[in-house]
Amino acid sequence: MNDQSACADIPADGKEPTDEALAEEAPLLTLSNITKTFQQADRQVEVLKLVNLSIYRGQIVALVGPSGIGKSTLLHIAGLLESPSSGVVSIEKRECNGLSDYQRARLRRRFLGFVYQHHHLLPEFTALENVMLPQMLAGVPRGAAKAHAADLLDEMGLTERATHRPAKMSGGEQQRVAIARAIANGPSILLADEPTGNLDHGTAERVFRQILSLAHQTRIAALVVTHNLELANRMDRILELQDGQIIERQKP
């Protein structure tokens, strides 16, 4: 099966789902009673304490909190890159605990897209080739991967940069290529860790609008770690990590 089949359908009317509609469908990502403990010298440090959260189709959710409190750890657990000490991670109703590394990698490839503060593009490849690569690793034929990559770059306003290598692009352009790469295999969940953290205000605004538009138009679920409270307030929900637990903040 082509991994692009994991991509959610776009609503026929183009509108965002209502709260009532969300209540009737299962969350795409669920963390249930997640704990995470690290050993530091002769003591154990509990970073996450019975964290519970659910994110639904078409939602873009901000995760905020001070540096070093465990936001990236939580994101890594949600993305199956790190295992919790206890608790259950579920992706589209699939419980992911106890899976082998191979099974976790398959789930990541099929259902998850990642965007980081640094773009992590491969410097020797062009923008087009960077977006083609994850598709080809998933078994998509080269021609189809190239056509889809070109379409994604066009949606990001980067058609003229398709043949440029990362060193020849601006920071904002690099990050938009990274977003295109993250969604190339049609994930249902996007996990972003400070995706605008290295960008100036104007560029950060453009990249954020791309992520916001992506979540609402394709009904992908997005969890975005950010220190930018102005951007967080424009997302659908704000979750704050405090003392190892999640608190849902009321938007102003």
Side-chain angles (χ1 to χ4, degrees):
M1 180 182 292
N2 190 317
D3 281 357
Q4 293 181 27
S5 64
C7 191
D9 292 334
I10 299 175
D13 58 7
K15 296 179 180 178
E16 297 175 32
T18 63
D19 291 340
E20 292 78 8
L22 289 173
E24 294 176 0
E25 63 181 41
L28 295 184
L29 173 66
T30 303
L31 304 185
S32 303
N33 296 322
I34 296 294
T35 68
K36 185 65 178 180
T37 302
F38 293 99
Q39 187 74 33
Q40 286 189 353
D42 59 348
R43 68 189 184 100
Q44 289 190 329
V45 178
E46 193 175 22
V47 177
L48 302 176
K49 306 172 183 177
L50 298 177
V51 167
N52 292 280
L53 66 85
S54 294
I55 301 178
Y56 293 82
R57 194 178 304 280
Q59 283 189 336
I60 180 167
V61 178
L63 179 61
V64 302
S67 296
I69 202 171
K71 299 187 301 299
S72 294
T73 297
L74 181 60
L75 206 69
H76 291 166
I77 289 172
L80 308 182
L81 295 169
E82 194 170 331
S83 297
S85 299
S86 65
V88 178
V89 179
S90 298
I91 294 175
E92 294 205 12
K93 297 189 288 187
R94 295 167 174 83
E95 290 192 5
C96 302
N97 293 49
L99 299 180
S100 67
D101 289 344
Y102 173 73
Q103 290 170 319
R104 290 159 70 92
R106 286 194 64 184
L107 281 175
R108 283 195 299 271
R109 187 168 63 237
R110 178 168 171 77
F111 295 108
L112 300 170
F114 298 88
V115 181
Y116 298 99
Q117 186 169 350
H118 184 70
H119 56 78
H120 294 300
L121 298 175
L122 297 175
E124 66 270 29
F125 293 108
T126 66
L128 186 70
E129 291 166 340
N130 267 281
V131 182
M132 289 172 61
L133 280 172
Q135 300 177 72
M136 295 174 67
L137 289 173
V140 178
R142 182 179 180 85
K146 184 175 182 179
H148 186 50
D151 287 343
L152 289 173
L153 290 175
D154 183 57
E155 290 175 17
M156 295 289 170
L158 293 170
T159 296
E160 295 182 355
R161 297 297 194 190
T163 59
H164 290 214
R165 290 182 172 83
K168 298 296 184 181
M169 293 184 282
S170 69
E173 289 168 343
Q174 292 168 343
Q175 200 65 319
R176 281 183 282 151
V177 174
I179 294 170
R181 180 185 58 185
I183 63 172
N185 283 335
S188 53
I189 300 164
L190 180 69
L191 302 173
D193 195 353
E194 294 285 356
T196 63
N198 286 337
L199 306 176
D200 62 70
H201 178 79
T203 306
E205 172 67 22
R206 182 167 188 179
V207 169
F208 173 73
R209 286 202 307 266
Q210 295 280 179
I211 296 174
L212 196 65
S213 175
L214 171 71
H216 291 159
Q217 289 182 15
T218 67
R219 300 194 69 209
I220 199 171
L223 180 61
V224 181
V225 171
T226 183
H227 283 102
N228 190 325
L229 294 181
E230 178 187 350
L231 296 184
N233 287 331
R234 292 162 58 191
M235 300 189 206
D236 300 313
R237 296 165 57 200
I238 303 175
L239 304 179
E240 183 172 5
L241 191 58
Q242 279 187 12
D243 192 28
Q245 295 185 314
I246 288 290
I247 297 171
E248 183 130 12
R249 290 177 46 170
Q250 295 298 315
K251 293 176 61 177

